[in-house]
Amino acid sequence: MASPALRPINDLVNENHALRWFIANRDAKYVKLASAGLGTNDSLMIETLCSRTSAQLERLSVIYKKNYSKSLKKQIKEEVGGNYGQMIMYSQMARHKLDALLLYNAMHGMGTNDSVLIEVICSRTNDELAHLKTYFASKYHRVLADWVASETSG
């Protein structure tokens, strides 16, 4: 049994855990509501999805799949398109996965988007870059540093 001094802390931790899942449930309902009928309630979709942390979005994704038997990502893809849809999808991605995609797109094909390379690489911590390099290699089967060097030489 927890000491009397720790009981309030344990209660707060338990309440916080319950609150996190309550918010995810509410957000899942908001996404479903924003998607109901013809068209999309863009304001509700943006307010719900773009004001959440990665951890909150992960919980939302779990709850949405459980409650509606459809992945949150699939629901969003069906509802929104164009640059707006791309922005919403990007907001759902883990940062290292988004960074890897942005870097890949910046270097793939003809030419290189140097401003994207600079923005992503220069604004990340060493730990974030290490995680990014590992993910990039597993996803794209290329060494990120080597590819950047080959794209920026000259």
Side-chain angles (χ1 to χ4, degrees):
M1 179 181 225
S3 72
L6 290 180
R7 254 186 244 137
I9 293 171
N10 290 336
D11 290 345
L12 284 174
V13 168
N14 291 335
E15 287 174 15
N16 189 25
H17 179 76
L19 180 61
R20 288 176 179 180
W21 288 100
F22 172 82
I23 291 169
N25 247 304
R26 185 199 60 197
D27 287 349
K29 290 176 187 173
Y30 286 166
V31 170
K32 188 68 171 172
L33 181 62
S35 304
L38 292 175
T40 304
N41 182 335
D42 294 330
S43 296
L44 184 56
M45 187 75 79
I46 290 169
E47 183 180 329
T48 303
L49 297 176
C50 296
S51 62
R52 300 292 179 250
T53 66
S54 294
Q56 289 170 322
L57 291 170
E58 287 176 30
R59 283 189 293 277
L60 168 57
S61 186
V62 168
I63 290 292
Y64 197 89
K65 178 76 171 178
K66 179 181 166 223
N67 291 355
Y68 302 109
S69 302
K70 182 188 275 190
S71 77
L72 179 62
K73 187 176 186 176
K74 184 174 182 179
Q75 179 66 39
I76 293 167
K77 279 185 177 181
E78 290 175 1
E79 290 298 319
V80 295
N83 289 337
Y84 167 60
Q86 190 172 24
M87 184 270 307
I88 294 290
M89 291 308 298
Y90 285 173
S91 76
Q92 304 307 299
M93 295 176 74
R95 186 174 192 173
H96 69 283
K97 291 180 180 181
L98 175 58
D99 287 347
L101 176 63
L102 292 172
L103 291 173
Y104 177 84
N105 288 342
M107 295 183 288
H108 184 71
M110 294 297 294
T112 302
N113 188 331
D114 293 332
S115 61
V116 171
L117 295 181
I118 292 166
E119 174 69 28
V120 172
I121 294 170
C122 295
S123 64
R124 302 300 180 257
T125 66
N126 287 337
D127 289 341
E128 289 170 330
L129 288 173
H131 192 206
L132 169 60
K133 287 190 284 187
T134 301
Y135 177 77
F136 192 93
S138 70
K139 174 77 176 172
Y140 299 109
H141 309 290
R142 294 193 73 165
V143 177
L144 179 59
D146 294 345
W147 197 9
V148 169
S150 72
E151 290 290 321
T152 57
S153 64

